[in-house]
Amino acid sequence: MKLLFGFLFTLLLLEANSQTSFSPENILGYKIGTQFTRHERVVNYFEKLESAFPKQVRIDPYGQTNEKRNLFLTIIASEENFKRIEEIRMNHLKNDPSENVAIVWLSYNVHGNESSGTEAAMQTAYELLTQQKELLKNTIVIMDPCLNPDGRERYVNFFYQYGANPVNVSRISADHNEPWPGGRANHYLFDLNRDWAWLTQIESKQRIKIYNQWLPHVHVDFHEQAINEPYYFPPAAEPYHEVITKWQRDFQKEIGKNHAKYFDKAGWLYFSKEIFDLLYPSYGDTYPTYNGAIGMTYEQGGSGRAGLAVLTNTGDTLTLSDRVAHHVITGISTVEVSSEKCKKLIDEYQQFATKKKFTYQSYLLDGNAPNLGDLLKLMDQHEISYSNALPNNTVKGFDYFTSKESTYKTKEGDVIICTNQLKGTFINVLFEPKTELSDSLTYDLTAWSLPYAYGISTIALGPLLEGKKYANKTIENQLNESNYAYLCKWNNLNSAKFLTRLLSNNIAVSFSETSFEINKSTYEKGTLIIMRGQNKQADFDKSITKIANEIGVELQSISSGMVDKGKDLGSSLVKNIPRQRIGVLIGAATSSLSAGEIWHFFEQEIKLGVSLIMEEDLSSALDEIDVLFIPEGDYTPDFSVNNWVDEGGKLIVMGNAAASFVNDEIYGLDLKKEELDTLNKTISYENSERNEISKTIAGAIYGCEFDNSNPLCFGYNQTYFTLRLTPELYTLKEGLTPFKIKATDALIAGFSGAFVKNKQASAMITGIESKGKGCVIYLLDNPLFRGFWQNGKLQIMNAVYFVNQQ
């Protein structure tokens, strides 16, 4: 092995081996691991390396965060490989048989308060350019020093405010206890390590563009975990997804053995094959894995509680220098093994990229599905190709909505996504109806299939289905200055965006609580009605059509308020939609992730501003809002909120926040008590963890039924599928349950524990409780969870605009 043990102990001391101007200590003015480095200084450090090694280092900016911090890659290569770096990249993407350089991508600090990662990135880059430069003869190393600068700066600023001097290792010290919301998440409080596949966040969207330009052979995601945990490195724990190749499994073992050699020599504790599995597709290890890389997570003890030094349960002092040293060793060791196994890495990747055989090779999507456009945007971001189906072709395959084999006749506009492309494995993972579990003891969700998440009727087909070039649909609405009204169907988020834009432009909009027919066309409940008589603006028609064309909704023009069937447009069942002032409760009792989901949804998707209201300011803020979201969390009921609801306020309670409204004298929500005893009272200690998961649901998909006359259900015309995260069963003493789980055959995909699996029949997943002039809306299966359950988001807008509308 080329990695010298002398270097190992040099790292332990974190001393530069020369006084050259580009060493971290000389550039930063302190040894790596003795201070936290602010983001602008990290950027400056890598710029200095680029200047010092212009023939070996290149900085590739790839965007900015919400808080305008730079996102960038640092590419490091030997001088010879650097000269032909674009040739190497293109040869790799073309699967050129002459390819002979392995591409290793190292990602740091996706969680902002796991702050040793960025410090380790600087030291690792320096070592690769000096002591370990021999490893670059047949490797290119791409480093992303900080995937989450906004979160990291939140943590670093906190530490510089409260960090003790001299260092205090006691965990009671303020610098070991971050205030809400902490530095883990990004600006919008999203966990970026759950967003690789869904691309809801600006950091993820920008990163994936440049990732797809490289598609590395190896990808490492550097993390931190609790302070008392030893270092974790691969091989990963079960379950592995079944598409993961034998080679990808074997290489993890090779990596683990190499790391273990150095950790054994230094006497450092570590573990592998536990906790961190390879299943859920939106992680920094699984996303690369499903795209052909050896994707791996490394976890160092530390995170936001560790500071510069902290006392662990064993009485040892864990320092930032220790944490950095461990990450540097595993980073260099990864490049070392990649260099040694270069040819095998390349050969196996090329086989992965070309040999794809799955149970289903084509997915046929309904061309009329309201959310199809949103799904195709996601495919575009992942550079997944698709085509239109040839019409009038009879096919047979698995029908997602019926869970049966069905015969289907294709029509114009239907879309085909096939697996015979570079991203074929990833497509299979995203679309497969059910994910097979090799072990039910898993770290995250066990179901995510996109046809259910987007509510798109889909047929999975065994053979490849021939199609034709996709024809992009464009909507170009025309002015009609003599009409009575414009109509817009309410069936997806574009409808909601359109409504929001109209209201923000002071255009009066109404909706119908009943279906109606006019000019031989049927308009379902929730249809938006923009009447000329209620809008006196001189540019009324121009404004309406401009907004509709920009958002991409189709308008229908009608010449009369008298309908052919149903209620005329002057009926009391056609109601005006007022602008809504929305508040989101935040603070120590609140799940920051849930608060961020709501905040991001309104600001970035709907383009509607909301007020983030701290718990201590809530009473004084209520007079200035119409709708209050209670994110997931654990609360003490606020009596000022009760009075506000009585007077007409709308309270929307998300997910597990409902538990705070149970058995209260004011609210009518009950939690059904189940006997949560063990299934086997003689269970052994070693099996106790597995016994406990029999009482849980690990992100399973359930089919639902709903009352389409209820305003919360407007826009849903077919079966709705919910992502169920917990098994709790709630009931309302008085109220409505617009969505509930089907009475039979409800479980579609994912793990549901033996004890709770059959108890979910007819479970309430949404509830509406009237209270005085206002109401409480319970969204028990949080439809904004991680921002990817697209078909659930219309529930949010229905709750805001339609429910309890007088």
Side-chain angles (χ1 to χ4, degrees):
M1 293 290 183
K2 299 176 183 177
L3 190 57
L4 302 178
F5 288 112
F7 162 61
L8 171 64
F9 292 107
T10 299
L11 281 174
L12 279 170
L13 297 173
L14 291 172
E15 294 178 349
N17 289 303
S18 67
Q19 293 302 308
T20 51
S21 60
F22 50 82
S23 68
E25 183 176 353
N26 281 353
I27 292 175
L28 298 173
Y30 52 85
K31 294 178 182 178
I32 290 285
T34 60
Q35 294 185 33
F36 290 111
T37 308
R38 293 188 182 277
H39 188 68
E40 68 270 15
R41 300 196 70 189
V42 175
V43 175
N44 177 258
Y45 174 75
F46 281 99
E47 289 174 344
K48 292 287 180 65
L49 279 187
E50 184 182 39
S51 297
F53 295 91
K55 297 180 180 180
Q56 286 188 263
V57 177
R58 187 179 87 194
I59 291 178
D60 281 2
Y62 66 87
Q64 285 191 324
T65 67
N66 289 288
E67 297 175 15
K68 306 307 177 187
R69 294 186 176 92
N70 292 335
L71 297 164
F72 67 98
L73 301 180
T74 299
I75 301 174
I76 301 173
S78 67
E79 289 190 19
E80 179 182 351
N81 289 332
F82 196 80
K83 292 175 185 176
R84 49 186 292 268
I85 199 162
E86 283 304 301
E87 177 190 345
I88 292 170
R89 184 179 71 85
M90 292 306 299
N91 283 348
H92 169 57
L93 295 178
K94 293 185 295 186
N95 287 321
D96 191 312
S98 67
E99 184 182 2
N100 59 3
V101 177
I103 301 166
V104 180
W105 187 303
L106 306 178
S107 290
Y108 300 87
N109 247 129
V110 69
H111 293 147
N113 60 3
E114 297 174 9
S115 49
S116 68
T118 295
E119 309 295 336
M122 292 186 283
Q123 185 70 31
T124 301
Y126 171 65
E127 299 298 342
L128 285 170
L129 290 163
T130 55
Q131 288 180 304
Q132 302 301 319
K133 60 186 178 182
E134 290 296 310
L135 299 179
L136 299 175
K137 285 186 176 180
N138 60 348
T139 64
I140 291 173
V141 178
I142 301 171
M143 304 181 74
D144 191 334
C146 188
L147 280 71
N148 181 11
D150 291 350
R152 189 173 193 276
E153 282 297 277
R154 192 183 310 127
Y155 173 76
V156 172
N157 286 336
F158 152 75
F159 189 83
Y160 274 113
Q161 284 181 313
Y162 293 98
N165 186 13
V167 172
N168 188 339
V169 299
S170 172
R171 279 178 265 171
I172 67 170
S173 181
D175 53 339
H176 297 299
N177 296 279
E178 289 180 90
W180 191 94
R184 177 183 174 92
N186 75 339
H187 169 81
Y188 277 107
L189 307 182
F190 264 69
D191 186 332
L192 293 178
N193 194 40
R194 272 76 174 168
D195 197 47
W196 278 77
W198 317 135
L199 304 181
T200 68
Q201 299 301 295
I202 190 171
E203 296 91 343
S204 306
K205 292 174 182 177
Q206 295 173 118
R207 181 189 341 111
I208 218 68
K209 289 179 182 178
I210 199 162
Y211 186 90
N212 282 326
Q213 294 174 18
W214 284 96
L215 294 176
H217 298 99
V218 176
H219 181 270
V220 178
D221 195 17
F222 289 86
H223 284 265
E224 290 189 88
Q225 53 188 329
I227 58 174
N228 294 301
E229 300 298 327
Y231 200 97
Y232 163 82
F233 50 68
E238 292 286 352
Y240 283 61
H241 195 285
E242 60 184 342
V243 300
I244 296 174
T245 67
K246 182 178 183 300
W247 160 248
Q248 288 173 315
R249 291 169 177 259
D250 290 345
F251 192 85
Q252 290 214 356
K253 296 174 185 176
E254 294 287 337
I255 286 282
K257 290 176 182 177
N258 208 57
H259 294 350
K261 177 185 65 176
Y262 296 116
F263 275 57
D264 288 345
K265 185 68 176 180
W268 293 337
L269 289 177
Y270 59 91
F271 69 99
S272 64
K273 304 180 288 295
E274 294 181 72
I275 303 175
F276 304 103
D277 58 57
L278 289 173
L279 187 71
Y280 178 65
S282 206
Y283 280 123
D285 53 9
T286 50
Y287 180 87
T289 297
Y290 299 146
N291 284 283
I294 311 298
M296 296 173 287
T297 290
Y298 298 169
E299 294 268 358
Q300 163 64 46
S303 199
R305 295 215 68 185
L308 288 178
V310 68
L311 201 63
T312 67
N313 286 349
T314 62
D316 290 335
T317 298
L318 175 66
T319 68
L320 178 60
S321 295
D322 296 332
R323 294 149 59 196
V324 171
H326 301 162
H327 271 339
V328 173
I329 281 292
T330 56
I332 298 292
S333 174
T334 299
V335 180
E336 179 183 40
V337 178
S338 300
S339 175
E340 292 174 354
K341 304 288 183 180
C342 175
K343 186 177 187 309
K344 184 69 171 173
L345 272 172
I346 293 168
D347 291 345
E348 291 291 339
Y349 176 87
Q350 291 185 352
Q351 288 189 48
F352 180 97
T354 55
K355 295 181 180 179
K356 299 184 184 297
K357 181 69 173 177
F358 306 109
T359 301
Y360 300 118
Q361 298 187 78
S362 302
Y363 297 94
L364 178 63
L365 284 64
D366 179 6
N368 293 331
N371 293 325
L372 179 61
D374 291 324
L375 187 143
L376 295 183
K377 286 179 185 176
L378 182 65
M379 298 298 99
D380 290 339
Q381 291 173 311
H382 285 298
E383 299 186 14
I384 291 172
S385 62
Y386 46 88
S387 61
N388 280 131
L390 300 173
N392 301 313
N393 184 12
T394 300
V395 297
K396 186 175 182 180
F398 177 83
D399 187 325
Y400 284 69
F401 279 18
T402 65
S403 296
K404 298 176 182 177
E405 289 288 315
S406 298
T407 300
Y408 177 81
K409 190 172 185 179
T410 60
K411 62 183 183 300
E412 197 69 45
D414 286 348
V415 171
I416 305 166
I417 301 177
C418 294
T419 59
N420 61 336
Q421 54 182 298
L422 182 60
K423 296 294 185 77
T425 300
F426 184 53
I427 293 167
N428 178 74
V429 172
L430 292 184
F431 281 85
E432 61 186 354
K434 291 186 179 181
T435 300
E436 295 298 324
L437 290 177
S438 60
D439 191 330
S440 57
L441 193 61
T442 182
Y443 190 65
D444 212 297
L445 302 185
T446 55
W448 50 80
S449 183
L450 292 187
Y452 299 120
Y454 281 75
I456 297 174
S457 180
T458 301
I459 306 291
L461 305 167
L464 292 170
L465 189 62
E466 183 182 356
K468 59 182 179 179
K469 184 178 179 180
Y470 178 75
N472 194 30
K473 298 177 183 178
T474 56
I475 294 175
E476 191 65 37
N477 295 288
Q478 301 300 317
L479 279 69
N480 186 343
E481 297 181 351
S482 62
N483 69 358
Y484 181 85
Y486 292 100
L487 305 179
C488 176
K489 293 182 178 180
W490 180 267
N491 57 13
N492 63 15
L493 280 193
N494 280 347
S495 311
K497 294 174 188 176
F498 178 59
L499 171 58
T500 302
R501 280 277 298 277
L502 293 180
L503 294 177
S504 68
N505 282 273
N506 297 314
I507 295 171
V509 187
S510 301
F511 75 99
S512 176
E513 284 196 327
T514 62
S515 301
F516 61 92
E517 185 178 310
I518 190 168
N519 299 333
K520 298 182 179 180
S521 295
T522 299
Y523 296 91
E524 299 295 339
K525 305 170 187 70
T527 294
L528 302 180
I529 306 167
I530 310 105
M531 290 181 259
R532 183 176 302 279
Q534 294 182 341
N535 293 280
K536 304 302 183 182
Q537 301 93 327
D539 61 348
F540 169 70
D541 296 277
K542 184 178 180 180
S543 296
I544 296 288
T545 53
K546 181 176 184 292
I547 294 170
N549 290 338
E550 288 175 354
I551 292 176
V553 296
E554 187 174 354
L555 300 178
Q556 286 76 38
S557 183
I558 57 174
S559 58
S560 173
M562 180 176 286
V563 304
D564 301 328
K565 291 182 181 179
K567 304 298 182 181
D568 292 333
L569 301 193
S571 167
S572 62
L573 295 177
V574 174
K575 297 182 176 181
N576 181 59
I577 306 173
R579 294 180 67 171
Q580 298 292 313
R581 300 170 299 170
I582 299 172
V584 181
L585 185 64
I586 63 172
T590 302
S591 161
S592 59
L593 295 175
S594 179
E597 289 159 1
I598 302 165
W599 180 23
H600 178 268
F601 172 71
F602 281 106
E603 281 197 1
Q604 292 299 314
E605 292 196 63
I606 303 301
K607 306 300 182 186
L608 176 61
V610 297
S611 297
L612 303 180
I613 303 171
M614 297 297 293
E615 294 170 61
E616 57 267 29
D617 300 327
L618 181 58
S619 295
S620 60
L622 289 172
D623 287 342
E624 298 184 36
I625 59 173
D626 306 300
V627 179
L628 176 62
F629 278 86
I630 307 294
E632 297 197 79
D634 187 9
Y635 304 93
T636 301
D638 187 324
F639 288 98
S640 63
V641 173
N642 304 337
N643 296 332
W644 172 79
V645 174
D646 282 335
E647 293 169 5
K650 189 180 295 184
L651 191 65
I652 301 177
V653 180
M654 304 294 286
N656 66 18
S660 300
F661 293 79
V662 169
N663 294 330
D664 188 90
E665 294 179 0
I666 297 171
Y667 300 102
L669 189 69
D670 274 336
L671 178 61
K672 187 177 180 181
K673 298 295 184 182
E674 293 287 343
E675 189 63 38
L676 293 180
D677 200 0
T678 56
L679 295 179
N680 181 351
K681 293 185 178 181
T682 61
I683 199 78
S684 66
Y685 176 79
E686 66 178 351
N687 289 322
S688 58
E689 185 177 11
R690 293 189 177 278
N691 184 63
E692 284 301 308
I693 68 171
S694 68
K695 307 167 190 174
T696 66
I697 295 177
I701 298 171
Y702 278 82
C704 299
E705 53 192 37
F706 56 90
D707 173 10
N708 63 11
S709 69
N710 190 296
L712 193 63
C713 305
F714 286 176
Y716 292 95
N717 293 320
Q718 297 192 61
T719 300
Y720 177 72
F721 299 91
T722 188
L723 181 64
R724 195 128 175 93
L725 302 168
T726 63
E728 281 75 19
L729 303 173
Y730 289 92
T731 60
L732 278 174
K733 295 173 184 175
E734 292 184 13
L736 303 173
T737 56
F739 288 89
K740 59 184 179 180
I741 289 176
K742 286 182 177 180
T744 59
D745 301 322
L747 180 59
I748 301 297
F751 175 77
S752 189
F755 190 79
V756 298
K757 180 178 179 179
N758 296 321
K759 299 179 185 294
Q760 303 301 305
S762 301
M764 178 176 79
I765 65 167
T766 66
I768 302 175
E769 179 183 5
S770 295
K771 190 174 180 300
K773 295 179 182 178
C775 69
V776 183
I777 302 169
Y778 301 99
L779 302 179
L780 302 173
D781 286 357
N782 177 4
L784 295 183
F785 178 73
R786 295 184 185 168
F788 85 100
W789 204 257
Q790 196 70 16
N791 202 34
K793 295 176 182 178
L794 200 60
Q795 293 176 19
I796 301 293
M797 302 312 297
N798 287 341
V800 169
Y801 283 129
F802 296 156
V803 174
N804 202 46
Q805 192 59 52
Q806 305 300 319

